[in-house]
Amino acid sequence: MGDSVGLGNASESPSSARAKPLPTREKDYGLRREVLSPFETLAQSVSTIAPASTPAATIPLVCALAGNGTWLAYVLATVAILLVAWCVGRFARYSFSPGSLYNYASMILPPWVSSIVAWSLLLAYVGTAASVIGGFYHYAIVFVQRSGDHRLASVLLALIVTGISVWIACRDVKISARLMLWIEATSVLMILTVVSLVLVRRGFHLDFAQLHLQGMSGSGLRLGLVLALFSFVGFESATTLGTEARDPLKTIPRAVILSSLVSGAFFTLTAYTEVLGFRVAGQDLGTSDAPMHVLAAIGRLPILGSLIDIGVLVSLFAGTLACITAAARVLLLMSHNGLAHGGLRATHPLHETPHRALIITGSAAVIPVAILAARGASGLDVYGWMGSLATYGFIVAYALVSVSLPRYLRDHGASDAAARVIPWLACGTMLLALLGNLYPVPEGPYGKLPYIFVAYLVAGTLWYVFHTRTQAARPD
């Protein structure tokens, strides 16, 4: 399944020297080989996380639940994600392919279980793309300060941002990676400038109300933690560029760990500063539509508020591009392995990108958003609904990949004490996050999402069974 190298060649440690070599099989997926630099590979994970959008869209939602514990929710979320990132990074040191987590799971888990990882991951990337498309049209309308019924504008904006993203992703993976890198770097730099100005104006005094977690409840922290985890989903998407990254056995693990660590530090610092700034301003962060405007005013540089709004819009565009890029490569490998139509394994003869898979994943992301927008759903509602559905997919994929790591390392003589403990901790945190999504039972549309996710997985599993039996019945 994909490209692999022997563990003994990946490390000079004694345990690795005794490791059995993994089967090596070069497979041409029709993608460009080793064209992305380490920073361009990192850009894929960073852009899927879309860090610039979290201070504007997600942190206020977490604050509405966790209050003064918002920073703690992000610290705990960072720890949980780093546990999973460690597991993904260990896999990525020894194997690479366009299928990322699906490829890792298929090495150890039974085929029908690894197919669940594939379908979960595909839904996760497509759902996240749909989520950020909803966020894009919401903030675009807020930015131009339009009022009244804007259904047509919402649908058009969703179609435009998706169409441009698919076009760029079809043209050249290097162009899309570089574009995503500069977009996110510029947006994050502006946000950090505002954060620094707020802290300077405050005089670097500690906010003891936050440090003492005043008014925070346990249930609020638990629910806030679930939302905080959504800020990180997609951190592993650099693994979908296994064929296209240079020296993938080194650059991809570093990208996975670094994107998680840097994003966690950024989110925690921003969450602390936003709560602090809104207390100074005497406003409620949990109900704010434009939190960075308030912080920019406190920092006495209000022009940055408008610039950050633009940065958030562009960041959401970059997130759409990154998610569609990742989803298409998962679908490409699924096609090679018989889980999707064989025609989706085709790549463009000139650009060497999975153009058919990109069109399918882009369409799958935008169609539900366009339908919901046409029915009058707000962009924030779409952002929340599709993001929650995507979170189910990520949690299932993260948990199954984590539990498969110990056997993978044990079978090849590379197991150690950390490998016997960390994967189970990672799986446990994901199961707790899943429980936090399901209990107490969400109200309204959110209560229907678990049933939609289960029905989707059942359909994918039935397709796998049908395909397997059909293949077995064919004469050799």
Side-chain angles (χ1 to χ4, degrees):
M1 304 293 294
D3 301 324
S4 303
V5 297
L7 289 174
N9 295 331
S11 174
E12 298 301 326
S13 66
S15 62
S16 297
R18 296 192 300 269
K20 306 174 193 175
L22 292 175
T24 302
R25 182 175 64 177
E26 292 290 330
K27 188 167 184 176
D28 183 10
Y29 292 101
L31 302 171
R32 293 184 180 179
R33 287 185 173 272
E34 300 188 9
V35 296
L36 298 179
S37 69
F39 281 110
E40 291 166 341
T41 304
L42 175 65
Q44 172 64 33
S45 281
V46 172
S47 297
T48 307
I49 295 172
S53 64
T54 286
T58 310
I59 288 178
L61 298 177
V62 176
C63 181
L65 296 167
N68 283 320
T70 301
W71 69 271
L72 179 59
Y74 274 99
V75 168
L76 296 175
T78 301
V79 172
I81 288 298
L82 284 174
L83 291 173
V84 177
W86 186 90
C87 297
V88 174
R90 288 296 293 268
F91 268 117
R93 285 170 55 188
Y94 308 130
S95 176
F96 61 93
S97 84
S100 65
L101 304 189
Y102 166 41
N103 181 59
Y104 303 154
S106 65
M107 298 177 186
I108 296 298
L109 300 177
W112 70 272
V113 179
S114 63
S115 74
I116 291 177
V117 176
W119 289 111
S120 296
L121 199 61
L122 181 64
L123 177 66
Y125 286 134
V126 170
T128 302
S131 175
V132 294
I133 292 170
F136 179 88
Y137 81 68
H138 170 79
Y139 283 102
I141 291 171
V142 169
F143 181 73
V144 299
Q145 297 181 340
R146 286 192 56 181
S147 59
D149 192 340
H150 39 69
R151 299 185 188 188
L152 180 60
S154 300
V155 173
L156 289 177
L157 285 168
L159 293 174
I160 289 171
V161 70
T162 306
I164 294 175
S165 296
V166 171
W167 181 78
I168 293 174
C170 286
R171 291 288 296 176
D172 191 338
V173 68
K174 282 184 68 65
I175 293 176
S176 61
R178 289 174 179 174
L179 179 63
M180 291 185 293
L181 178 64
W182 286 109
I183 286 172
E184 290 299 336
T186 303
S187 302
V188 168
L189 181 61
M190 288 191 294
I191 293 173
L192 286 176
T193 300
V194 170
V195 167
S196 299
L197 288 173
V198 171
L199 293 177
V200 168
R201 301 297 182 192
R202 172 69 175 175
F204 296 103
H205 299 302
L206 293 177
D207 185 0
F208 289 102
Q210 288 193 71
L211 296 181
H212 293 160
L213 306 175
Q214 291 180 5
M216 185 199 75
S217 66
S219 61
L221 178 62
R222 176 176 58 83
L223 295 174
L225 174 59
V226 173
L227 281 174
L229 284 172
F230 178 64
S231 296
F232 291 87
V233 294
F235 74 92
E236 80 302 326
S237 65
T239 60
T240 63
L241 302 178
T243 301
E244 295 147 297
R246 295 176 196 162
D247 198 4
L249 299 180
K250 292 182 179 179
T251 59
I252 290 177
R254 290 172 183 170
V256 168
I257 297 295
L258 189 60
S259 63
S260 305
L261 190 59
V262 173
S263 295
F266 173 69
F267 294 153
T268 303
L269 175 63
T270 307
Y272 173 86
T273 306
E274 284 191 50
V275 174
L276 171 64
F278 270 74
R279 180 177 294 110
V280 171
Q283 299 185 36
D284 183 4
L285 173 60
T287 60
S288 176
D289 289 331
M292 300 313 298
H293 271 281
V294 176
L295 294 187
I298 295 173
R300 299 179 187 175
L301 200 60
I303 185 63
L304 275 181
S306 298
L307 292 176
I308 289 173
D309 279 347
I310 298 174
V312 169
L313 276 175
V314 182
S315 176
L316 289 167
F317 162 73
T320 304
L321 174 58
C323 291
I324 291 174
T325 297
R329 280 149 180 80
V330 173
L331 187 58
L332 174 75
L333 188 62
M334 290 175 65
S335 177
H336 276 278
N337 293 342
L339 288 179
H341 191 279
L344 296 175
R345 71 184 65 179
T347 53
H348 195 281
L350 176 61
H351 304 302
E352 297 178 283
T353 55
H355 59 296
R356 293 182 183 176
L358 284 164
I359 293 172
I360 293 297
T361 53
S363 300
V366 76
I367 287 173
V369 176
I371 292 173
L372 290 169
R375 293 173 61 89
S378 73
L380 285 183
D381 282 338
V382 174
Y383 181 86
W385 296 337
M386 300 307 297
S388 296
L389 187 61
T391 302
Y392 292 135
F394 279 117
I395 287 174
V396 169
Y398 293 165
L400 290 175
V401 167
S402 295
V403 298
S404 65
L405 178 63
R407 180 182 166 187
Y408 177 80
L409 296 178
R410 185 173 63 251
D411 287 351
H412 297 90
S415 182
D416 52 28
R420 290 189 290 271
V421 176
I422 293 179
W424 296 106
L425 291 176
C427 181
T429 59
M430 292 301 102
L431 292 178
L432 289 175
L434 184 62
L435 180 62
N437 270 274
L438 299 177
Y439 181 82
V441 178
E443 298 180 356
Y446 287 94
K448 300 176 183 178
L449 296 179
Y451 300 103
I452 295 174
F453 179 67
V454 170
Y456 167 83
L457 288 187
V458 169
T461 304
L462 290 176
W463 165 255
Y464 167 78
V465 172
F466 171 77
H467 172 77
T468 302
R469 290 183 177 179
T470 301
Q471 291 293 103
R474 290 180 181 176
D476 295 334

